[in-house]
Amino acid sequence: MRKVFPKSERIVSKKLIDELFTSGRGHSLTAFPLRAVFIERDGRPEAEPPVTLLLSVPKRKFKHAVDRNHVKRQLREAFRNNKQLLASSVPAGKQVALAFVWLSDRHFPSAEVEHRVCSLLRRIATTFIPA
C-alpha cells in the first residue's frame, strides 16, 4: 500500500472540528508532547478514508511559523508512515476523526515524534477491538 497523506484525509470542516473538541463525545489520550483527541463517526461512504486528521501546533508554543511548520511536517510524516496501525482496526462503515495537539514549547527529534504517534495510534486502535 502506498504511504500517502491526501487532502481527503485532512479535517477542514469547521463543524467537524467543533464536534471533535466541544461535543463531549471526544476522547483524549496523551503521549507527551502530543495529545490526541478523537471521535468515532458513523456512516462512512466507501470512498472516504477510515481516518481523518487535524494537526494543531499553537502559536503560544512556537512564536515563529517556521517552527510550527517544522513540527507539523514531523507529525504528518509520522502519521503517513503509520496510519495503518489505526486504519486497519476501524470497522467498515465507521470513521475516526483524529486531532493531534502539540503540548510542548520545544522541538523533539523526528524518531521520538514518530514513536509517540505510533503509541497513540495503537492505543486508539484498541478502542475498536471487540472485547
Side-chain angles (χ1 to χ4, degrees):
M1 178 173 187
R2 287 182 33 184
K3 293 182 179 177
V4 295
F5 185 58
K7 189 165 182 123
S8 63
E9 291 183 354
R10 298 171 195 216
I11 296 177
V12 292
S13 164
K14 180 82 168 140
K15 182 179 172 185
L16 181 54
I17 294 169
D18 288 342
E19 183 181 350
L20 192 59
F21 288 102
T22 60
S23 71
R25 289 183 35 221
H27 305 282
S28 179
L29 298 171
T30 303
F32 193 80
L34 285 174
R35 185 174 118 205
V37 179
F38 66 97
I39 58 171
E40 182 181 350
R41 302 177 68 216
D42 292 327
R44 173 176 64 97
E46 202 55 42
E48 287 190 28
V51 181
T52 55
L53 181 70
L54 170 74
L55 299 174
S56 175
V57 182
K59 196 172 188 178
R60 185 182 311 165
K61 302 297 180 188
F62 291 109
K63 301 296 183 208
H64 298 104
V66 68
D67 294 323
R68 292 190 301 274
N69 291 340
H70 175 74
V71 171
K72 285 190 274 187
R73 269 194 305 275
Q74 286 180 308
L75 291 171
R76 265 194 308 270
E77 185 68 8
F79 177 75
R80 184 184 71 81
N81 287 328
N82 299 291
K83 65 184 168 187
Q84 277 309 111
L85 294 173
L86 177 57
S88 61
S89 66
V90 176
K94 300 278 187 180
Q95 184 179 40
V96 175
L98 170 66
F100 284 134
V101 181
W102 191 259
L103 301 174
S104 178
D105 58 355
R106 65 183 190 89
H107 289 283
F108 284 78
S110 294
E112 177 98 9
V113 172
E114 185 159 357
H115 175 72
R116 301 302 166 92
V117 167
C118 288
S119 169
L120 287 169
L121 291 176
R122 279 192 208 97
R123 288 168 57 195
I124 294 168
T126 60
T127 64
F128 298 104
I129 297 172

